[in-house]
Amino acid sequence: MSTPTVPLHIVVPTPAHSSAAPILSYAHDVPLPAGTLVRVPLGAREVLGITWDEPQGTGSELPQLRRVGAVLEGLAPLPAPWRRLVAFAARYYQRSLGEVALSALPPSLRELTADQLTRRLRRMPPGTPAPDAGAATVQTETSKIVVLSTDQQSAAAEIDAHPGPFLLFGSTGSGKTEVYLHAVQAALTRDPGAQALVLVPEINLTPQLEARFRERFDALWGASAIVSLHSAMTPAQRLKSWLAAHTGQARIVLGTRMAILASLPRLALIVVDEEHDASYKQQEGARYSARDLAVWRARDVGAKVILGSATPSLESWHASDPAVGRYQRLHMPARIGAGELPRLRLIDMSQQPRKAVFAPPLIAAITERVQRGEQCLVLLNRRGFAPVLHCGACGWKSDCPHCSATQVFHKSDRTLRCHHCGCASPVPRACPDCGNPDILTIGRGTEQLEEQLAQLLRNVITRERRAARVARIDADTTRARGALKAQLAQMHAGDVDVLVGTQMVAKGHDFRRVTLVAAVQPDGALFSSDFRAPERLFALLMQAGGRAGRDARYMQAQQSAPELWVQTWHPEHPLFAALRGHDYPAFATRQLAEREAAGMPPFSHQALLRADARTQEAAQDFLRAASEAARTAQLPGMDQVFLYPPVPLAVQRVANVERAQMLLESPHRGALQHLLAAWQPLLHAERTRHRAVVRWLIDVDPQAI
Ligand code: ADP
Ligand code: ZN
Ligand code: ZN
């Protein structure tokens, strides 16, 4: 006697680039609703799978199919909107459904047995959140009443009244977070089961955000209604947050880009803070844009979406142009408390002493501020300025043996390290080529800047009659768990007078006593080959400047005005004129006109085909063959997509692998999508013919060319 069986369609984790169908058929004794998590055999392993479409037929005997192992019964099926989202993401970003769907689940879910999961679920507090009795009174007691500014009020009213999507274009310090809080409260009050998702670009911004949300909402909906979701959490924490979101127990999910793929059955609102930030684009696996998926997901389920920024991406700015009208633009020009935006002080470095890293007038300005008890922030745009070792006698440089990049000098542990492949070696005592013992560092990293600044300020005494303190925050000082938090706390407490740092310190932080911000080496981005470099630099300088003078009352008490100092060799560059006027719209208009003339995004759509191979020649050969194959096969969309010739990547060789890429561009997103989808099988076929190719990948809407 054999048991009755029904066939089930199940999504399993297939390798991203295998051409194997990601949906396999398995047999089970009863039909299961789509979205059910199951454990199934795959090859010699047992893996987590997700039942996909509705079961077809019943009762027929299918001995050739392998059987479903176990059903994770305690868990409600992943809802249809979630399945539509991952299916769309897989299709749009040209990856397998199995990879995208399964990698969107918390890793520990993939390992738990059905029993282990049941036990885990039993430990969770009850499903529906019960508001604490007397919550309303607690609310008025604990949190200060915030009266929205006129700008905030009108933005909030528009969000309440219209469907969106919204681009909240608000100056730094205009109180965008307060508008998010209002919108979240409105959405969650309107529907007692509704959920909101709030995305931030950096993991280290989540604690600060969580604190603000808890202060406001813990009393209303209970502490378990708010969860965070990001990759720095332990697997157990991540599973817990994910389950809370999936069961609907979490009403508010705060997270980084990965949170966009969480299961949120009652999603009513998505907020994408600092929407212009490049870290919303995933840079490996399925290279999705969490911001773009947020807009798609919101529309798909009828949720609202708010994209917020002081310097929106040109894509979003264009979409919110009234003539285009895809997004509704909400403008908040004024700072809270009538605070001033920082005045720009451009220093022409050609007029400064030769080899000065800090122009004397900047040092004078910092000194004055520190003496008055104010804080300063010195920003280094790290790219390309990390210190390398150099021999003046023979020209030797500390090149990485495995990459076309230079190893960077790390003073703290006296090593040379490659920032691309990670390989490290001790600093040589003498030049390895000519034996010259006098090898020098060229270029400056944050470490050198910190030292030099401390030296320049060594005689400065603060108002509290102590020596000025200089500190540094960058990837090196924050490697240890909790280090960044501790360092930021010192800054907030006023234990530090001048903070030197990379991009990391420019983003989001609400420093109350910083009155001067200086960018010391921003020029690299002015003439970069990447067409997005000016956009990034403008955003970075506006963001950084936005850290100065955030507390209007403090500024008044100090009788101080915020300043943004920029040291440049090109003070005449138009970017600085727009920066001086805090005039993002002028900057954007100019950039968009240039992009339109050159047919670049957002006026065209791009994708990259990248190949990694043992030699540069092999990588480029593969790309050329791929492009030839597409032409010969006359793939759909071909006539509307331009294929550029292959070129090496800026960092051409990493860990002994040569990298090349080919740009595809089209005025029509649809044509590009059709071509990419039809191309996949040809690419698999080419790959088998090009044995020296290590891997290939497609990057849709790439962030950097
Ligand atoms: P943004 O995100 O736009 O840079 P924030 O939301 O961080 O600005 O707000 C800047 C500061 O102003 C914060 O300290 C915030 O608490 C305060 N703030 C925001 N809105 C108000 C308001 N309506 N009344 C008083 N303070 C406010
Ligand atoms: Zn030498
Ligand atoms: Zn290397």
Side-chain angles (χ1 to χ4, degrees):
M1 282 302 294
S2 57
T3 37
T5 45
V6 291
L8 292 179
H9 292 179
I10 295 177
V11 170
V12 293
T14 42
H17 277 337
S18 89
S19 40
I23 302 186
L24 301 180
S25 292
Y26 286 89
H28 193 53
D29 24 351
V30 288
L32 292 174
T36 306
L37 289 178
V38 290
R39 303 208 51 100
V40 291
L42 182 69
R45 295 177 301 150
E46 199 195 52
V47 298
L48 183 68
I50 309 168
T51 59
W52 215 245
D53 36 43
E54 296 306 319
Q56 308 163 339
T58 43
S60 60
E61 211 167 318
L62 299 157
Q64 73 277 24
L65 293 183
R66 301 180 80 176
R67 298 193 69 90
V68 168
V71 179
L72 305 190
E73 265 156 353
L75 207 62
L78 290 154
W82 182 86
R83 301 197 308 272
R84 284 199 299 273
L85 173 71
V86 293
F88 168 77
R91 202 165 61 236
Y92 186 82
Y93 294 103
Q94 306 292 324
R95 304 294 287 202
S96 82
L97 175 61
E99 181 200 15
V100 176
L102 274 307
S103 64
L105 302 177
S108 52
L109 200 54
R110 275 172 252 156
E111 276 116 49
L112 291 185
T113 66
D115 288 346
Q116 286 168 325
L117 180 68
T118 313
R119 256 175 280 140
R120 208 50 83 81
L121 286 167
R122 223 178 281 137
R123 265 186 273 140
M124 304 242 320
T128 34
D132 302 353
T137 45
V138 178
Q139 163 80 353
T140 44
E141 273 165 23
T142 55
S143 59
K144 52 179 193 270
I145 309 283
V146 177
V147 182
L148 294 186
S149 71
T150 325
D151 279 355
Q152 287 171 326
Q153 263 173 36
S154 54
E158 290 293 316
I159 294 168
D160 287 343
H162 298 280
F166 302 96
L167 177 67
L168 181 60
F169 169 49
S171 307
T172 51
S174 63
K176 292 185 285 297
T177 313
E178 204 57 53
V179 176
Y180 306 152
L181 288 163
H182 173 94
V184 168
Q185 182 158 5
L188 269 51
T189 312
R190 212 175 292 134
D191 168 0
Q195 294 178 299
L197 172 65
V198 182
L199 300 179
V200 286
E202 299 248 335
I203 289 170
N204 60 56
L205 292 173
T206 50
Q208 178 185 326
L209 189 74
E210 189 175 326
R212 272 181 88 171
F213 272 75
R214 289 206 175 283
E215 186 194 11
R216 188 67 55 87
F217 296 136
D218 270 4
L220 271 181
W221 294 303
S224 60
I226 301 177
V227 299
S228 285
L229 199 53
H230 55 75
S231 58
M233 298 166 73
T234 65
Q237 286 170 330
R238 213 166 127 181
L239 177 64
K240 197 168 164 228
S241 291
W242 186 90
L243 286 172
H246 175 61
T247 57
Q249 188 197 348
R251 306 282 314 275
I252 302 172
V253 175
L254 311 172
T256 51
R257 67 171 175 256
M258 59 175 277
I260 191 59
L261 294 173
S263 165
L264 292 154
R266 303 289 296 274
L267 185 61
L269 172 70
I270 310 178
V271 173
V272 184
D273 191 24
E274 309 294 0
E275 67 90 32
H276 62 279
D277 201 290
S279 45
Y280 282 120
K281 184 79 155 65
Q282 168 82 12
Q283 290 300 349
E284 59 192 35
R287 299 180 166 226
Y288 63 84
S289 156
R291 176 195 66 211
D292 295 350
L293 285 183
V295 175
W296 191 92
R297 185 174 191 177
R299 191 187 48 205
D300 183 57
V301 297
K304 295 193 189 206
V305 59
I306 307 171
L307 312 178
S309 177
T311 51
S313 64
L314 288 173
E315 282 81 1
S316 299
W317 185 252
H318 179 64
S320 71
D321 184 328
V324 176
R326 286 199 291 123
Y327 301 167
Q328 186 181 345
R329 191 184 290 169
L330 307 171
H331 192 190
M332 301 205 299
R335 276 194 146 180
I336 292 296
E340 285 174 78
L341 284 166
R343 188 156 90 90
L344 179 67
R345 304 288 303 265
L346 268 188
I347 308 180
D348 184 349
M349 290 308 277
S350 66
Q351 304 300 313
Q352 299 300 319
R354 257 166 47 84
K355 291 189 176 171
V357 180
F358 294 98
L362 173 59
I363 294 300
I366 292 178
T367 302
E368 201 184 301
R369 305 256 166 184
V370 170
Q371 284 169 340
R372 287 208 302 257
E374 298 169 18
Q375 292 175 310
C376 301
L377 205 62
V378 175
L379 178 75
L380 177 71
N381 201 6
R382 163 111 101 175
R383 240 179 227 154
F385 289 98
V388 303
L389 278 188
H390 174 250
C391 168
C394 77
W396 172 86
K397 264 196 305 74
S398 54
D399 287 331
C400 174
H402 313 293
C403 307
S404 52
T406 321
Q407 286 186 314
V408 174
F409 174 58
H410 286 247
K411 191 175 176 201
S412 47
D413 57 356
R414 301 210 46 92
T415 55
L416 290 172
R417 259 188 238 170
C418 174
H419 288 183
H420 296 279
C421 73
C423 87
S425 48
V427 170
R429 287 181 199 287
C431 170
D433 281 3
C434 75
N436 171 17
D438 201 16
I439 41 181
L440 309 161
T441 53
I442 47 173
R444 276 178 185 79
T446 37
E447 208 173 330
Q448 277 80 0
L449 280 189
E450 178 197 8
E451 274 180 17
Q452 193 157 8
L453 203 54
Q455 177 68 13
L456 288 165
L457 301 177
R458 67 187 177 283
N459 295 325
V460 178
I461 303 295
T462 67
R463 206 164 50 176
E464 292 101 52
R465 310 210 163 276
R466 56 166 177 78
R469 290 188 197 133
V470 180
R472 164 172 66 103
I473 290 187
D474 62 18
D476 286 343
T477 67
T478 52
R479 211 164 286 149
R481 203 173 250 277
L484 179 65
K485 206 172 157 193
Q487 288 169 3
L488 288 172
Q490 283 186 348
M491 184 68 181
H492 285 293
D495 296 340
V496 169
D497 303 297
V498 183
L499 182 64
V500 179
T502 49
Q503 265 90 326
M504 212 182 254
V505 300
K507 284 182 192 171
H509 301 289
D510 195 17
F511 298 123
R512 309 305 287 171
R513 286 174 46 205
V514 169
T515 65
L516 181 150
V517 174
V520 290
Q521 289 167 331
D523 282 354
L526 290 177
F527 306 100
S528 162
S529 61
D530 185 345
F531 69 88
R532 282 197 178 86
E535 179 183 352
R536 293 234 176 82
L537 177 62
F538 190 84
L540 177 65
L541 292 177
M542 287 278 278
Q543 272 284 318
R547 299 313 104 204
R550 293 178 73 80
D551 189 335
R553 264 189 302 190
Y554 175 74
M555 298 307 284
Q556 252 162 21
Q558 286 287 103
Q559 299 198 315
S560 177
E563 287 180 343
L564 170 64
W565 287 64
V566 177
Q567 300 191 151
T568 177
W569 290 83
H570 307 279
E572 74 296 339
H573 198 285
L575 185 147
F576 295 125
L579 187 65
R580 185 182 297 286
H582 307 286
D583 198 349
Y584 170 81
F587 171 77
T589 304
R590 233 191 114 88
Q591 284 281 313
L592 282 171
E594 280 176 22
R595 299 252 188 114
E596 187 164 24
M600 284 190 295
F603 302 95
S604 68
H605 304 276
Q606 298 179 327
L608 288 174
L609 175 63
R610 202 178 102 188
D612 295 356
R614 290 190 225 299
T615 65
Q616 182 62 218
E617 199 187 359
Q620 294 201 16
D621 277 350
F622 169 81
L623 295 176
R624 260 186 297 273
S627 138
E628 212 31 62
R631 240 167 242 137
T632 314
Q634 296 185 327
L635 293 184
M638 233 359 228
D639 51 335
Q640 288 177 304
V641 178
F642 188 79
L643 277 67
Y644 286 82
V647 291
L649 260 69
V651 178
Q652 181 176 330
R653 191 166 54 106
V654 166
N656 295 323
V657 171
E658 287 281 339
R659 314 186 300 167
Q661 68 183 24
M662 188 163 75
L663 177 64
L664 286 73
E665 201 170 65
S666 174
H668 306 288
R669 199 191 288 277
L672 183 59
Q673 280 286 318
H674 283 142
L675 170 61
L676 291 173
W679 212 9
Q680 292 256 8
L682 305 190
L683 292 170
H684 288 295
E686 283 306 328
R687 163 75 195 274
T688 53
R689 275 193 281 278
H690 290 75
R691 302 220 165 264
V693 170
V694 180
R695 70 181 85 86
W696 59 271
L697 61 90
I698 291 171
D699 188 352
V700 180
D701 304 330
Q703 273 297 302
I705 304 291

